[in-house]
Amino acid sequence: MTVAGSLQSTSLDLPTLSLVAVCVAGLLGLFLIIDWLQQRNVRALAWWGSAYLIGASSMALWSVPAPLFRLPPEVPGALTFLACGMIWNGVRLFQGRQVLSIAAFAGAITWILFSRMMPGDGRIVLGACVVTVYTFFIAVELWRERRQASYSRTAAFVVPWLHAGIFLMPVAMHTLFPKVFGPSWLTAFTLQTILYAVGTAFIVMLMVKDHHVNIYRNAASTDHLTGLLNRRAFMENAVALCARQGRRGEPVTLLMFDLDRFKSINDRFGHSIGDDVLRMFAQVVRSSTRENDIIARLGGEEFAAIVPGGMEVAVKIGERIRSAFETAGVTVRSHAVGATVSIGAAASYEAANGIDSLIARADAALYRAKYDGRNRLRAAETSETSERVRLIAAARRSGSAGAAELAQLRQQGRTASLA
């Protein structure tokens, strides 16, 4: 028996597959719509559910042997491409991006304009290409959301193209090997569409689940007013940063912030203006710090930031925040508020077990800034222990040339602890 004959004898029945595809798409669409009715805040579910129902309708119109009423032959295909466009826009909406309504109809319009100009195989290739384009853009949107993970640039480029190329495979089979795959390529394409529809629905539900998990996680770790980390989350992240910097023999610096005369601002202008001042300061801190700096609202008008680096780096960051907030706080909602901030800074080379002493030293420097007249930064003196750790780290980085100095420093540390 020839290869072509084997494929024909084992090929699945196309009308049966089409019926299965209609039922699967319709059930998935109803499931997503019901899920949206229970979670009205996730509007993307309505887009996805509607897209699946439209897709089921298009497949039913395409495969029904004797329709009850006649429609132009382009309608089923146009509905299919509209469904693809709606799924893509649903993903964009879910990721917080703008819906592109024109793009949702672009595939359907393309099909209506050009499908009649092409022969039978040309129409099929055109349809497969339109689906591939939409599938590629859906994959790109999904991949963009994984920007937090450390994936390589190569993977970020290859995966979306591979994702879209799946739909071109049956077309390539039909074009390159018409004698072998000609009778069965449409069956393979239909089966592939069913599997893809089910897989996409599972991806959608996992996205919604992760969305809710992130909401609950963020609610537990962030301050509701400013969106910064809360005290508990700040301490967890600060300890981790201190431990990481300690292993590298590199310093961390803690900045403590306290808004000047904040109670007076509340008393004079009301708590609504006070809340605006807090939000304004949070925005100033975000725009004035680096991506790897950890910032938080500890409570009331108290904020903190811990930065990887020594005192010189932290002083530049602190002064940038102080100056920017002094400028921004002159007027708040047409009120001459004149808000300013006092800052205390303390640096350390010690590991995570030194976080409490670091906070105490930065807090003492902050009170000194208040005592000296507010709207200024004061740095704490480096502790003897931290200075010794710094010198040891410097000697270790210098290599064998600093071995004698390293041994001497360690001996000094043991002598000091015995004393």
Side-chain angles (χ1 to χ4, degrees):
M1 182 181 291
T2 64
V3 176
S6 176
L7 284 171
Q8 290 180 34
S9 63
T10 57
S11 62
L12 297 174
D13 182 57
L14 184 57
T16 303
L17 276 178
S18 299
L19 177 61
V20 171
V22 171
C23 294
V24 168
L27 288 174
L28 290 174
L30 289 174
F31 178 74
L32 291 171
I33 291 293
I34 292 172
D35 199 16
W36 170 68
L37 292 174
Q38 297 173 346
Q39 305 178 70
R40 292 295 186 96
N41 59 318
V42 187
R43 293 188 296 149
L45 286 170
W47 280 74
W48 292 325
S50 301
Y52 270 85
L53 292 177
I54 292 174
S57 301
S58 69
M59 285 186 285
L61 291 173
W62 171 67
S63 59
V64 67
L68 297 177
F69 50 90
R70 287 191 170 276
L71 291 173
E74 296 82 10
V75 170
L79 290 175
T80 299
F81 306 136
L82 175 60
C84 293
M86 291 181 66
I87 291 176
W88 174 36
N89 275 281
V91 174
R92 289 183 58 85
L93 182 64
F94 185 78
Q95 311 293 12
R97 289 184 273 275
Q98 184 179 4
V99 171
L100 303 177
S101 302
I102 297 178
F105 288 93
I109 294 172
T110 301
W111 175 256
I112 293 172
L113 291 178
F114 295 102
S115 62
R116 287 195 175 185
M117 304 177 187
M118 297 183 174
D121 287 350
R123 289 161 59 93
I124 294 172
V125 171
L126 173 63
C129 290
V130 172
V131 172
T132 299
V133 170
Y134 275 127
T135 306
F136 172 74
F137 283 115
I138 291 170
V140 168
E141 294 295 338
L142 294 175
W143 194 260
R144 285 173 65 184
E145 194 57 21
R146 303 180 70 142
R147 59 190 177 275
Q148 301 294 341
S150 56
Y151 292 99
S152 68
R153 290 179 179 268
T154 302
F157 176 79
V158 169
V159 170
W161 279 107
L162 182 64
H163 194 60
I166 291 174
F167 271 95
L168 287 177
M169 197 179 304
V171 178
M173 290 163 48
H174 175 61
T175 304
L176 298 177
F177 308 102
K179 294 183 179 179
V180 178
F181 297 104
S184 59
W185 82 275
L186 195 55
T187 301
F189 185 81
T190 305
L191 181 60
Q192 187 174 287
T193 302
I194 296 173
L195 296 176
Y196 183 78
V198 174
T200 303
F202 274 109
I203 292 174
V204 162
M205 297 312 300
L206 287 175
M207 287 170 53
V208 173
K209 178 184 176 183
D210 289 343
H211 173 72
H212 289 301
V213 169
N214 288 332
I215 288 177
Y216 297 138
R217 184 185 293 121
N218 290 337
S221 62
T222 58
D223 172 63
H224 72 281
L225 180 63
T226 62
L228 301 179
L229 294 177
N230 58 25
R231 178 183 288 272
R232 181 184 62 81
F234 175 77
M235 293 300 293
E236 292 176 357
N237 285 273
V239 168
L241 177 62
C242 286
R244 187 164 61 251
Q245 292 292 100
R247 287 192 297 269
R248 298 173 179 172
E250 297 176 354
V252 294
T253 304
L254 178 68
L255 295 166
M256 298 287 289
F257 306 92
D258 190 90
L259 304 192
D260 297 327
R261 298 186 175 89
F262 185 71
K263 184 178 182 301
S264 174
I265 293 175
N266 277 334
D267 292 342
R268 287 182 293 150
F269 304 105
H271 289 278
S272 176
I273 296 296
D275 289 346
D276 285 346
V277 172
L278 294 173
R279 283 190 285 263
M280 177 187 295
F281 181 75
Q283 182 58 41
V284 167
V285 173
R286 283 195 196 93
S287 60
S288 303
T289 51
R290 303 164 299 180
E291 185 178 357
N292 56 345
D293 298 333
I294 301 168
I295 54 180
R297 181 190 179 197
L298 302 183
E301 67 273 23
E302 296 180 353
F303 295 79
I306 187 165
V307 303
M311 184 62 75
E312 290 184 4
V313 174
V315 167
K316 291 180 181 178
I317 294 173
E319 282 296 335
R320 188 160 61 238
I321 293 171
R322 187 201 62 77
S323 176
F325 184 62
E326 182 181 18
T327 301
V330 171
T331 304
V332 180
R333 275 203 281 167
S334 302
H335 295 282
V337 175
T340 57
V341 63
S342 298
I343 309 170
S348 174
Y349 276 80
E350 298 175 76
N353 56 8
I355 186 66
D356 292 334
S357 62
L358 185 64
I359 291 175
R361 291 170 51 225
D363 211 34
L366 171 62
Y367 277 103
R368 193 163 74 251
K370 292 279 191 183
Y371 181 79
D372 289 346
R374 299 182 175 86
N375 190 26
R376 63 198 66 218
L377 184 151
R378 289 291 179 262
E381 295 182 0
T382 304
S383 66
E384 293 183 6
T385 303
S386 183
E387 178 64 16
R388 187 168 62 253
V389 173
R390 184 188 70 79
L391 293 173
I392 291 173
R396 185 183 294 114
R397 286 195 296 271
S398 67
S400 58
E405 182 183 359
L406 178 61
Q408 183 179 0
L409 288 169
R410 285 174 173 166
Q411 181 61 37
Q412 291 175 358
R414 283 194 290 271
T415 303
S417 62
L418 290 174

